[in-house]
Amino acid sequence: MELERILRSQGFGSKKTCRALIRSEAVTVEGVPCDDPFAEFTSAGLNFTVDGEAWQYREKAYLLLNKPAGYECSNQPIHHPSVFALLPPPMQGRGMQCVGRLDEDTTGLLLFSDDGQFIHRMASPKWKMPKVYRVTLKHPADDAQVAALTSGVQLHDEPAPLAAVACERIDERVLLLTLTEGKYHQVKRMIGAAGNRVEALQRVSLGTMTLPADLPEGAWRWLDAERDLAGMFVAR
Ligand code: URA
């Protein structure tokens, strides 16, 4: 594939921008400077640098962010900066999207991808993708609240009660709550309906992915589709 097309596919801008970048000697390929936009390379696994920053060619990109509070899961945020501000600019250039959304004040595991089929499958109710939240409560959780969350609570605009598939009390005021749907403010509304209130919310896992303990808030890492995501779509 031509170098100009490689850069375009990886989010470095328009044809014109990528051509100018290459001509300005900002690009190396496998350690060798290249100022020819039409030079041909095998794209799979290609290592290149742009302005000294190292990249690897990825046909589809998947990454995991440890979302901090104070960021909106939107390209056009209204009250707070966008989560995309935490990723390098080429991520937006190549059309990365959030895989589901977290509220502005929710922290934890958030996936991004530009693989439309993957995003669609992750959202499909068919897969009942489990999402585990660490919920810090305002009031100590009693047995009745834990029982209500697993047997089902009625929310105002839902036709039927919603139930957590698991609810583990790990401290007086801390629950590990597992949901398989992803409705608007679902955790906060379910906890409210059970008679308590969410003080802090962190997503700790999604499907087979768990928030890595060594990934600080605000930091992200690449995922490998084969290694990290292949187990996501198993029949449950
Ligand atoms: N449920 C909520 O209430 N908020 C989130 O961010 C995610 C799930």
Side-chain angles (χ1 to χ4, degrees):
M1 197 190 293
E2 289 173 352
L3 185 56
E4 179 185 289
R5 268 188 66 202
I6 291 177
L7 290 197
R8 267 209 301 147
S9 72
Q10 303 300 289
F12 288 89
S14 66
K15 205 168 162 172
K16 202 171 149 194
T17 307
C18 292
R19 191 172 298 186
L21 207 54
I22 298 165
R23 292 236 197 264
S24 73
E25 302 183 358
V27 180
T28 71
V29 181
E30 299 294 351
V32 181
C34 181
D35 63 2
D36 177 5
F38 307 109
E40 289 276 348
F41 296 95
T42 304
S43 57
L46 191 74
N47 296 297
F48 60 97
T49 67
V50 178
D51 289 328
E53 199 173 339
W55 297 89
Q56 188 177 65
Y57 176 87
R58 288 177 162 83
E59 191 178 347
K60 297 284 179 213
Y62 308 87
L63 62 83
L64 182 160
L65 170 75
N66 184 355
K67 180 190 174 295
Y71 287 84
E72 289 182 29
C73 289
S74 165
N75 281 310
Q76 274 129 18
I78 301 173
H79 300 295
H80 300 273
S82 163
V83 283
F84 287 100
L86 298 164
L87 307 181
M91 294 303 109
Q92 257 187 300
R94 65 179 292 166
M96 296 287 268
Q97 295 175 38
C98 301
V99 181
R101 287 175 176 223
L102 294 176
D103 296 338
E104 168 274 317
D105 54 355
T106 301
T107 61
L109 190 157
L110 182 62
L111 300 185
F112 291 80
S113 183
D114 58 359
D115 178 348
Q117 200 185 0
F118 172 74
I119 296 170
H120 182 75
R121 289 180 94 196
M122 288 295 287
S124 162
K126 174 182 159 190
W127 294 103
K128 294 191 168 45
M129 203 54 75
K131 302 157 187 78
V132 183
Y133 295 91
R134 183 187 164 92
V135 190
T136 306
L137 300 166
K138 185 170 171 71
H139 311 289
D142 58 31
D143 292 345
Q145 287 173 359
V146 173
L149 288 164
T150 47
S151 59
V153 287
Q154 184 62 54
L155 306 183
H156 292 311
D157 52 355
E158 291 296 330
L162 294 178
V165 294
C167 179
E168 188 190 345
R169 191 167 30 192
I170 56 172
D171 197 355
E172 227 193 4
R173 288 169 208 255
V174 183
L175 301 178
L176 273 188
L177 194 71
T178 308
L179 305 181
T180 51
E181 309 96 344
K183 298 190 187 288
Y184 182 67
H185 291 336
Q186 187 171 345
V187 174
K188 292 173 185 163
R189 290 158 70 219
M190 285 179 68
I191 297 287
N196 210 319
R197 198 190 145 103
V198 174
E199 291 272 282
L201 187 56
Q202 180 193 38
R203 184 155 66 188
V204 293
S205 77
L206 172 58
T208 52
M209 280 305 314
T210 300
L211 185 65
D214 60 349
L215 187 68
E217 275 192 12
W220 63 274
R221 69 173 51 151
W222 293 113
L223 297 177
D224 180 87
E226 293 295 310
R227 188 192 60 216
D228 302 312
L229 302 171
M232 281 283 187
F233 304 105
V234 289
R236 271 178 269 275

